[in-house]
Amino acid sequence: MDARSPEAPGGRALRDVAENLFQELQEHFQALTATLNLVLEEMGGRIEDLQKNVNDLMAQAGIDSPAQKHRLCVWLPAVVSCCRLHLGLQ
């Protein structure tokens, strides 16, 4: 009889350990997935808020033509990058 077979005493213990380990991994994966989903939902909400604020600022600045928006989209990432660098966030 093979020591790894379910009928062998050690085989049953090994199977039980493997099943418990699999169950623990599955529970951790489910918890990680739930946490990740919450973080992504929160990030999505923040992005929507940011987009609304940018649109509001653009409207207040009188930027409404596609050409003006394009120019803003060209230099805005550079400004943000410069600010992040200055604040030590990069």
Side-chain angles (χ1 to χ4, degrees):
M1 178 181 335
D2 185 2
R4 292 174 293 176
S5 71
E7 296 82 24
R12 180 163 303 197
L14 183 59
R15 186 193 71 216
D16 290 344
V17 168
E19 286 177 358
N20 288 339
L21 180 60
F22 178 74
Q23 182 65 31
E24 287 181 32
L25 287 172
Q26 191 172 18
E27 289 170 6
H28 286 292
F29 181 77
Q30 289 172 343
L32 180 62
T33 301
T35 300
L36 185 58
N37 284 336
L38 289 174
V39 168
L40 289 175
E41 286 177 20
E42 183 180 323
M43 188 182 305
R46 288 180 178 183
I47 290 171
E48 289 173 6
D49 291 345
L50 179 61
Q51 182 64 49
K52 181 188 176 303
N53 289 336
V54 168
N55 288 340
D56 290 346
L57 288 171
M58 289 173 65
Q60 289 174 13
I63 301 172
D64 51 4
S65 74
Q68 289 173 317
K69 288 180 182 179
H70 176 72
R71 281 195 299 275
L72 179 67
C73 290
V74 168
W75 65 264
L76 186 59
V79 171
V80 169
S81 179
C82 182
C83 290
R84 290 177 57 95
L85 184 63
H86 179 72
L87 295 172
L89 300 174
Q90 284 185 331

